[in-house]
Amino acid sequence: MNMPHLMRHIQDTGALLDTLFPIQRQSTAAVPPCCTGSPSCVSGDSEAAEEDAEQLVSVQTVSAAPAFREDVVALHATLQKRLEDRRARPTGLCPIRRALYCDLFSELVRQVTVEEPARGLLLARVREEAEHAIQVHAALLCEGQRFVAGKLMQEKQDALALKERIAALRQEKVALEVQKHELLETLKEMEQLFEEERQLRRKQRQDEVKYLRHANQQLSLRLKMETERESAATEVEGSSEAAPATS
C-alpha cells in the first residue's frame, strides 16, 4: 500500500475506499427468455439461446455511507450469528473465525475511513501489517510442520534401524551364549583331563619316591651289613695276630 500517494488523495473518500477495497467483478451466465409454442420451436430457441448466451458481469463496490450506533450493534449481532452458523471454534486456530474477523476488520476500516480518512489509512496499514505477520507465521508454521514431519520420519527410520540393531545384537548374544557354553564345557573337560593327569603324575612320583626309599633302605641295610662284616673280619685278624705274640 502506497501511503504517500493515498495521503495526497485523502480528501477523495470514494477513490480512497476504491483503493483500499478494490472493485470485485463477478461473471454469471445470462438466462435465456422462455419461448411458448410448438416443441420444435422450444427446442430450436433453446439451442439458439445456449449458443448466443452472454456473460453478465456484476460489479460490487464498497459503500461510502457512514455507520451509526445501530449499524455497529447490528454488525456485532451479524458477527455472532455467522460465527454460530459456521460453527467457528471460540479458541485456538480456526480459519473460519479468522476469515469472519478479517471481514469485520475490513468493515471497521471502511467505517473509520468514511468518518476520518487519515485514521482509516492508519488502520488499513495496521490491518495490512497484521495480515503480513499472519502470513509470515503461517509460512513459519508450514516450515515447522515440514521440519517436524522430517524429524518424525527420521526418528521412525532411526527407531527401525535401532530395532534391527537390537535384533542383530540379540542374535549375536545367543550365538555368544552358545559359544560360551561350548567353551565352558571344553574348559571343564580340560580341567578334568588336567586333574587326571596330575593325579597320575602324583601317583607316579609317590611310587618313585616309595621305590627310592625302599632302595635306600636296602642299600643302607646292605652297607650296614658290609660294615659289620668288615668290622668282624678286622677283629678276627687282630685277634689272630695277637695270639702268636703271646705264645
Side-chain angles (χ1 to χ4, degrees):
M1 184 170 57
N2 191 354
M3 289 294 294
H5 174 74
L6 295 177
M7 292 298 292
R8 286 195 298 268
H9 299 80
I10 198 171
Q11 300 300 329
D12 191 355
T13 306
L16 186 60
L17 289 175
D18 292 337
T19 303
L20 294 177
F21 305 98
I23 297 175
Q24 298 181 0
R25 299 179 181 271
Q26 296 179 354
S27 299
T28 58
V31 179
C34 296
C35 177
T36 58
S38 63
S40 60
C41 178
V42 173
S43 60
D45 291 342
S46 299
E47 293 176 358
E50 290 178 358
E51 293 177 357
D52 298 336
E54 296 180 355
Q55 296 290 332
L56 296 180
V57 179
S58 61
V59 179
Q60 184 177 1
T61 59
V62 64
S63 174
F68 299 97
R69 180 180 179 84
E70 293 78 6
D71 298 331
V72 176
V73 174
L75 180 63
H76 181 266
T78 303
L79 174 64
Q80 294 296 330
K81 186 176 183 303
R82 292 180 65 184
L83 288 173
E84 293 176 359
D85 293 342
R86 300 185 63 179
R87 296 180 181 179
R89 287 181 293 180
T91 58
L93 297 176
C94 180
I96 297 176
R97 189 180 76 249
R98 178 174 175 271
L100 294 177
Y101 274 97
C102 285
D103 294 341
L104 175 63
F105 204 164
S106 298
E107 175 61 20
L108 293 178
V109 171
R110 186 198 70 81
Q111 294 178 6
V112 174
T113 304
V114 170
E115 295 180 359
E116 184 63 36
R119 190 179 301 169
L121 283 177
L122 292 177
L123 190 59
R125 186 170 183 179
V126 171
R127 181 191 63 175
E128 183 180 0
E129 184 65 25
E131 291 179 353
H132 178 69
I134 291 175
Q135 292 176 0
V136 171
H137 284 84
L140 292 176
L141 178 61
C142 292
E143 290 294 332
Q145 289 176 349
R146 282 196 292 268
F147 178 77
V148 171
K151 282 294 183 181
L152 290 176
M153 184 64 66
Q154 184 178 0
E155 288 181 358
K156 289 182 180 179
Q157 294 176 356
D158 294 342
L160 182 60
L162 288 176
K163 288 181 180 179
E164 294 177 354
R165 178 61 177 168
I166 290 173
L169 290 176
R170 286 178 177 174
Q171 294 179 357
E172 185 178 357
K173 178 183 176 182
V174 173
L176 291 176
E177 290 289 342
V178 174
Q179 185 178 1
K180 175 185 175 182
H181 181 71
E182 294 177 353
L183 291 175
L184 289 176
E185 291 293 332
T186 304
L187 178 62
K188 186 176 180 180
E189 293 177 358
M190 292 179 65
E191 288 180 350
Q192 185 176 359
L193 292 175
F194 178 75
E195 183 65 22
E196 292 177 356
E197 185 178 358
R198 189 168 63 86
Q199 293 293 338
L200 181 61
R201 289 181 179 179
R202 178 183 295 178
K203 185 178 180 180
Q204 289 177 355
R205 285 196 299 270
Q206 290 177 355
D207 293 342
E208 185 178 358
V209 170
K210 185 177 180 181
Y211 172 76
L212 291 176
R213 285 179 179 177
H214 180 70
N216 188 20
Q217 291 177 359
Q218 294 292 331
L219 291 174
S220 297
L221 182 59
R222 185 175 180 181
L223 180 60
K224 184 178 180 181
M225 292 176 62
E226 291 292 335
T227 303
E228 291 178 353
R229 185 182 299 174
E230 289 180 358
S231 298
T234 303
E235 290 178 358
V236 171
E237 290 179 357
S239 61
S240 61
E241 290 178 356
T246 55
S247 61

